[in-house]
Amino acid sequence: MDGTTDRFTGFVRRAHDAGHLVVQPRMGFGELHRMRAGLRAVRDADATTVGTVTLDSYTRCHEDGAALRALRERPADLNGFPLLAHGVPAVRTLLQEVASAGFPVQIRHGTPRPVRLLRAMAEADADATEGGPVSYCLPYGRVPLARAVAEWSAGCELLAARPVPPHLETFGGCMLGQLCPPSLLVALSVLEAVFFREHGLRGISLSYAQQVHPGQDLEALAALRRLADERLSGTAHHLVLYTFMGVFPRTGRGSRRLLADSARLAVRGGAERLVVKTPAEAHRIPTVGENVAALAHAARAAEAEAEAAAEAAAGSAEGAARWSPTESGLYEEARTLVDAVLEPGGTVGACLLRAFARGILDVPYCLHPDNANRSRATIDATGALGWSRAGGMPVTPAPTAAAAPVTAGQLTELLGFNRRRYDGRSPDAPYGRAS
């Protein structure tokens, strides 16, 4: 690793070269001592880990007074870490005590207006952060997309001006968590990555969230890798998979199966990093112990899958061949979306604004005023996620897609697809449409 490579990028690269999947929690606590203890526990987990500091909702929404009052009066009630309320010196000390080249830490925030937070992170010497002008705007409120693009442009340039810019991860591949067809997730992740590079960032990761069909997810990860390699040539980049972000199984057994399958998917799909969820996700904010247990569970599943893949390559195992990638033209559809957005020329930010204004990009079921909301998605008879209505996008709905609008009851059924499947099926049951 040379002096221009950030610690986060370098750590993930070394872990991948050594054959290890990096696993990471989604974890944040209000009090400094709890955040410190949580990071140390993650560092010491039986897995190859990076740390996470997830910010609280007051800080994300720039409600500084509310965050400060909560920190003083009821810090245990905060749903994350109030970075600005603690102040840069305290956060810098926290990171100096815990983070290192062998355990880099990412700060996760969730705001469409990131400049103040990115400045504070940079001054605290954080290793990495994440988000994006689209993915941290459309699902999170009513901030105009143009304002988000402007702030993210300024924020990226602020980070790029550091002697060693921190790592930046796109969140575009996690749009809405579920019911966004993979071609659009791939396209948005690539577009945000190109946006980051245009503004000077050199260490980038591209996200993708596990959906409902393993074969389709494998095809999506291959498409994301191919497009990233094409569009980010010469820029250090890797893929990060998210354990399913939608309605989670209610049972511990179902949750653990879903988590293990996401780890297997990461290994089979060549992702270098996995952001996990815990069995507690369906009920409450998980404890440190639950986060550490989820990391270890994911790491064991990843190791077993890697061993099975090696045995299969040697012709002595069949388990690693359980999933095969679909061949639906997902790469071509995602590339068409990216090309259609960037074809007019100009900055990537300007292209994104034009694309949403014209409906060339359109996130299904997203109610943000700058989103056309004319596209729709559904889960087909094979259990794959696809388009039922294209709106103005250059994508092709399934030939059998229903023309009638999706009712509230049908939408609820779609949202609960993975919960029903993992809570109800036996571990060895084949994947397919839920009963």
Side-chain angles (χ1 to χ4, degrees), residues 5 29 31 49-50 53 63 74 86 122 146 176 187 192 219 245 263-264 281 284 290 341 354 396:
T5 303
F29 301 103
E31 298 155 294
T49 59
V50 291
V53 175
E63 297 179 11
R74 53 186 195 284
H86 281 299
L176 292 188
E192 288 193 331
E219 185 183 3
M245 296 174 65
R264 297 182 186 108
E281 300 286 339
R284 55 176 168 75
E290 288 165 336
V341 172
R354 281 194 298 265
T396 304

Side-chain angles (χ1 to χ4, degrees), residues 101-375:
F103 182 67
V105 174
Q106 181 187 54
I107 297 180
R108 307 178 63 85
H109 57 97
T111 179
R113 298 180 290 134
V115 170
R116 293 172 66 233
L117 287 172
L118 295 180
R119 181 179 293 111
M121 292 178 203
E123 292 174 353
D125 293 327
D127 293 302
T129 187
E130 44 76 63
V134 174
S135 59
Y136 266 13
C137 178
L138 296 191
Y140 287 91
R142 300 178 67 85
V143 171
L145 184 59
R147 181 171 183 183
V149 166
E151 282 236 10
W152 274 93
S153 298
C156 288
E157 290 168 6
L158 183 155
L159 296 180
R162 304 288 295 179
V164 179
H167 183 93
L168 188 53
E169 171 197 320
T170 74
F171 201 64
C174 304
M175 183 65 68
L176 292 188
Q178 63 181 122
L179 291 187
C180 189
S183 62
L184 183 56
L185 296 179
V186 169
L188 288 171
S189 201
V190 170
L191 287 164
E192 288 193 331
V194 175
F195 177 93
F196 295 163
R197 187 174 75 167
E198 179 180 73
H199 290 289
L201 277 302
R202 302 196 290 269
I204 297 169
S205 51
L206 298 92
S207 65
Y208 178 77
Q210 177 189 19
Q211 297 297 314
V212 294
H213 189 289
Q216 187 181 42
D217 286 339
L218 286 172
E219 185 183 3
L221 286 169
L224 182 58
R225 174 76 67 189
R226 184 175 172 184
L227 277 169
D229 289 346
E230 292 170 356
R231 299 286 179 166
L232 300 174
S233 177
T235 300
H237 58 278
H238 70 262
L239 304 190
V240 51
L241 177 70
Y242 281 68
T243 299
F244 183 65
M245 296 174 65
V247 179
F248 220 60
R250 293 174 180 169
T251 66
R253 188 178 71 156
S255 298
R256 287 188 290 272
R257 286 203 298 256
L258 178 51
L259 173 57
D261 276 354
S262 71
R264 297 182 186 108
L265 175 63
V267 172
R268 298 293 291 166
E272 289 90 338
R273 182 161 53 97
L274 174 69
V275 178
V276 310
K277 293 182 77 173
T278 76
E281 300 286 339
H283 312 287
R284 55 176 168 75
I285 296 174
T287 65
V288 172
E290 288 165 336
N291 273 296
V292 170
L295 294 169
H297 183 65
R300 288 193 298 269
E303 289 172 4
E305 188 67 16
E307 290 172 2
E311 291 172 0
S316 60
E318 56 186 41
R322 288 184 302 117
W323 299 343
S324 297
T326 55
E327 297 180 2
S328 67
L330 201 155
Y331 163 78
E332 288 77 11
E333 189 166 273
R335 184 185 63 187
T336 296
L337 284 167
V338 171
D339 289 344
V341 172
L342 298 179
E343 189 274 334
T347 66
V348 178
C351 288
L352 288 169
L353 293 175
R354 281 194 298 265
F356 277 100
R358 297 173 182 175
I360 294 170
L361 292 176
D362 182 2
V363 180
Y365 310 109
C366 176
L367 302 179
H368 190 281
D370 290 325
N371 185 63
N373 197 24
R374 292 171 54 211
S375 69

